[in-house]
Amino acid sequence: MINIALLGYGTVGSGFYEILKNNKNKLENIVKEKINLKHILIQDLTKKRENLADKSILTDDFNKILMDPEVDIVVELIGGEQAAYQYIKESLVKNKIVITANKLLIAKHYNQLMTLAEHNDTHIYFEASVAGGIPIIKAIRDHLAGDNIQEIDAILNGTTNYILSIMEEKTISMKETIQEAQELGYAEQDPEEDLGGYDVLYKICILANLAFDISVNPEDIPCKGIKGITSYDLIYASELGYKIKLIASIKNINNKINIGVRPNLVEKGEYLASIDGVFNGIEVFSQYSQKLSFDGMGAGKYPSANAVISDLIEAAKTIKENKTKLELNPLEKTPTFDLHAYLEQSFYIRIQIEKDDQTINQIKEIFAEKDLAELFFKDNKTETPLLPVIIITKKIKEDKLEKIIEKIESLKGVLTINNIIPIKDTVS
Ligand SMILES: NC(=O)C1=CN([C@@H]2O[C@H](COP(=O)(O)OP(=O)(O)OC[C@H]3O[C@@H](n4cnc5c(N)ncnc54)[C@H](OP(=O)(O)O)[C@@H]3O)[C@@H](O)[C@H]2O)C=CC1
Ligand SMILES: N[C@@H](CC=O)C(=O)O
């Protein structure tokens, strides 16, 4: 008999419980062992727990789980940092196998957790920590293990992709869509993690660790989320043939790992532009497989819970075959470089100016100097004295662009620089 303790009965935890219950026979046939869910840890014992058959397994006392020698596997689905980190470490020290969907912990403490697992002859699995229902960890760790990955470009956050898609479709504000994403169970406890791009940052760090056998520090990587993008940007981008997506990229450039997390304009017709709603999409470019694309639901109850179930099968097989020794070794700490500072890219710029010929001519002159950009004046044909201007630059390094932007900003008739968004290059 394999005994499991589940930490958390929220979106993913309750999904895990349901799949385990519905497919119990099937799972037991696969692992050739009885599976028993012995404890569920929650915070609030008074909360109604729909679908939970046996309420006696609920507890708010983690020590009851830790001190139970029969518990083989701890499934951490509470999220957040402190309590989850503590529970995972203590479980590993007690030789329990850990399964987690917690990308923040895996990204920030990869080496410590792997080392702790190794020292205690146990293992930690984290398939659901990146891209929800897409089996990208196993694809990189197993399928691509003998290949040489060169680049990964991805949409890795269901919440922000959902928000951008709905904003474009319904021309509504970001604020109106956030609550919807929370109600659907896509968003983190603190939605700032999604909107600010941090959730994506943790996920791309985990992929970098696995793809390049290195350990990267999320704090070293500049990261920008979707805040500040408006329906105007989505509409103007669309008129010019682009979608706006929050893109995470890793590029191996001359054996230096360059990472970027930023909204990008992606040409319609490109694979990642077709990934809408809560879906995530990942393109992996490697020496031998050349190009692999993955898409599927990047957040939500059942797809994410299924990824946890796939780890459960692997963990149970590990126990059955009695091979708990870790295959993953601590990775070498590696500096990372800002992908966007390295690249020469085209940029989309939206500015708001006073509707007067002098300002328009001055902006034209600044860009005409080096034949640097195409300008689109979005005259809304009203009597308003404001004029939105969209600028699409030729390829330029961002530090050079910043100097030009400073010149534009200093013009008397320029009111605001609303947004500067890179345009994603197509990988050839
Ligand atoms: N939501 C999604 O689509 C996805 C989430 N993830 C990750 O999965 C994890 C869980 O997310 P999600 O299911 O959305 O989270 P929820 O907020 O829906 O659920 C959290 C659960 O954990 C319990 N909990 C929280 N803190 C504690 C604590 N200190 N002690 C005991 N129990 C606690 C809560 O208890 P109570 O019910 O009593 O409040 C609740 O049952 C996170 O790491 C998240 O990043 C990964 C992929 C997708
Ligand atoms: N908040 C995350 C949940 C899954 O990891 C997301 O929206 O992708």
Side-chain angles (χ1 to χ4, degrees):
M1 164 102 72
I2 290 171
N3 283 298
I4 303 167
L6 171 62
L7 315 187
Y9 193 77
T11 304
V12 189
S14 62
F16 172 81
Y17 172 84
E18 282 179 50
I19 301 177
L20 190 59
K21 192 172 94 189
N22 296 342
N23 285 355
K24 194 159 188 294
N25 288 342
K26 184 178 179 178
L27 291 167
E28 289 180 343
N29 280 336
I30 295 169
V31 304
K32 298 187 178 46
E33 188 67 84
K34 289 276 169 213
I35 299 174
N36 177 39
L37 180 57
K38 200 168 177 204
H39 308 277
I40 302 179
L41 179 79
I42 35 85
Q43 281 186 122
D44 181 358
L45 282 169
T46 64
K47 226 189 233 179
K48 261 199 160 171
R49 307 286 168 180
E50 307 216 332
N51 300 325
L52 185 61
D54 177 7
K55 309 242 174 348
S56 72
I57 63 173
L58 285 174
T59 178
D60 60 358
D61 178 9
F62 176 68
N63 273 324
K64 195 170 161 189
I65 292 168
L66 192 66
M67 294 307 162
D68 182 346
E70 287 184 357
V71 170
D72 305 292
I73 301 174
V74 172
V75 180
E76 184 278 306
L77 298 174
I78 66 176
E81 187 159 12
Q82 258 122 32
Y85 190 33
Q86 194 61 28
Y87 296 164
I88 289 179
K89 282 194 298 186
E90 288 177 0
S91 302
L92 292 172
V93 169
K94 287 270 181 208
N95 312 100
K96 299 180 191 306
I97 291 181
V98 170
I99 296 170
T100 180
N102 196 321
K103 56 264 123 134
L104 178 152
L105 285 187
I106 297 295
K108 281 194 178 175
H109 307 290
Y110 190 91
N111 267 344
Q112 294 92 314
L113 292 172
M114 293 304 147
T115 309
L116 197 58
E118 191 182 32
H119 284 167
N120 290 285
D121 261 357
T122 186
H123 212 324
I124 177 160
Y125 297 92
F126 47 89
E127 182 62 69
S129 66
V130 182
I134 304 173
I136 189 64
I137 302 282
K138 291 185 179 68
I140 292 180
R141 191 200 61 189
D142 300 337
H143 183 78
L144 289 164
D147 202 338
N148 301 314
I149 294 177
Q150 287 141 352
E151 175 165 346
I152 298 176
D153 297 307
I155 294 171
L156 292 176
N157 183 267
T159 303
T160 47
N161 206 46
Y162 177 81
I163 287 173
L164 292 174
S165 300
I166 299 291
M167 280 171 68
E168 186 181 352
E169 191 186 310
K170 299 189 183 161
T171 323
I172 55 176
S173 74
M174 192 173 290
K175 209 172 158 194
E176 289 171 86
T177 60
I178 293 170
Q179 200 187 344
E180 214 178 302
Q182 284 175 306
E183 282 163 8
L184 288 163
Y186 301 155
E188 295 301 306
Q189 278 161 31
D190 175 4
E192 175 63 25
E193 292 278 306
D194 299 294
L195 303 176
Y198 309 108
D199 177 82
V200 175
L201 174 65
Y202 301 140
K203 290 168 175 170
I204 199 73
C205 285
I206 297 172
L207 295 188
N209 291 347
L210 295 172
F212 298 104
D213 271 341
I214 52 165
S215 164
V216 302
N217 181 4
E219 278 157 27
D220 294 343
I221 299 162
C223 146
K224 199 163 185 255
I226 64 163
K227 285 192 294 188
I229 291 177
T230 65
S231 289
Y232 288 116
D233 294 306
L234 292 156
I235 290 165
Y236 294 150
S238 178
E239 285 171 7
L240 293 165
Y242 300 97
K243 298 257 217 157
I244 301 181
K245 298 286 178 191
L246 180 55
I247 300 288
S249 297
I250 322 170
K251 250 186 211 283
N252 181 351
I253 303 169
N254 303 327
N255 289 327
K256 284 186 174 168
I257 302 303
N258 292 257
I259 304 185
V261 174
R262 267 179 90 157
N264 276 227
L265 264 68
V266 184
E267 219 174 294
K268 287 181 191 172
E270 260 211 60
Y271 169 70
L272 290 178
S274 72
I275 307 296
D276 284 326
V278 71
F279 276 66
N280 283 186
I282 305 161
E283 286 182 307
V284 181
F285 301 88
S286 67
Q287 188 178 359
Y288 300 115
S289 303
Q290 300 193 12
K291 182 182 169 184
L292 291 168
S293 315
F294 304 82
D295 54 69
M297 284 179 72
K301 180 170 174 165
Y302 296 115
S304 314
N306 185 61
V308 183
I309 291 282
S310 83
D311 278 349
L312 174 66
I313 294 172
E314 204 177 342
K317 284 183 175 167
T318 303
I319 293 172
K320 280 287 288 177
E321 291 163 21
N322 202 16
K323 51 160 194 171
T324 47
K325 200 80 186 148
L326 264 184
E327 294 121 41
L328 287 171
N329 291 320
L331 303 171
E332 196 185 318
K333 275 265 171 222
T334 310
T336 50
F337 299 87
D338 180 2
L339 180 65
H340 292 283
Y342 175 88
L343 291 180
E344 276 204 340
Q345 288 183 289
S346 294
F347 287 85
Y348 157 102
I349 305 166
R350 175 164 69 90
I351 62 178
Q352 187 89 286
I353 64 170
E354 279 171 10
K355 210 184 274 179
D356 75 85
D357 288 343
Q358 195 192 349
T359 310
I360 292 173
N361 288 334
Q362 282 173 325
I363 294 174
K364 279 183 177 167
E365 265 167 39
I366 289 174
F367 281 105
E369 247 178 49
K370 293 188 180 104
D371 184 25
L372 198 61
E374 267 187 276
L375 274 54
F376 303 89
F377 297 94
K378 294 287 170 189
D379 198 343
N380 50 15
K381 297 191 181 72
T382 63
E383 291 312 304
T384 154
L386 307 180
L387 179 64
V389 184
I390 305 302
I391 299 162
I392 301 287
T393 72
K394 299 253 169 77
K395 286 192 177 180
I396 181 170
K397 279 215 172 189
E398 195 160 19
D399 53 350
K400 287 199 182 130
L401 180 68
E402 274 163 14
K403 295 209 169 75
I404 295 169
I405 295 291
E406 273 168 28
K407 272 196 204 170
I408 291 179
E409 240 170 349
S410 67
L411 298 177
K412 196 169 147 275
V414 172
L415 303 173
T416 44
I417 309 282
N418 299 97
N419 254 322
I420 302 173
I421 308 176
I423 299 178
K424 187 182 171 300
D425 264 340
T426 312
V427 182
S428 48

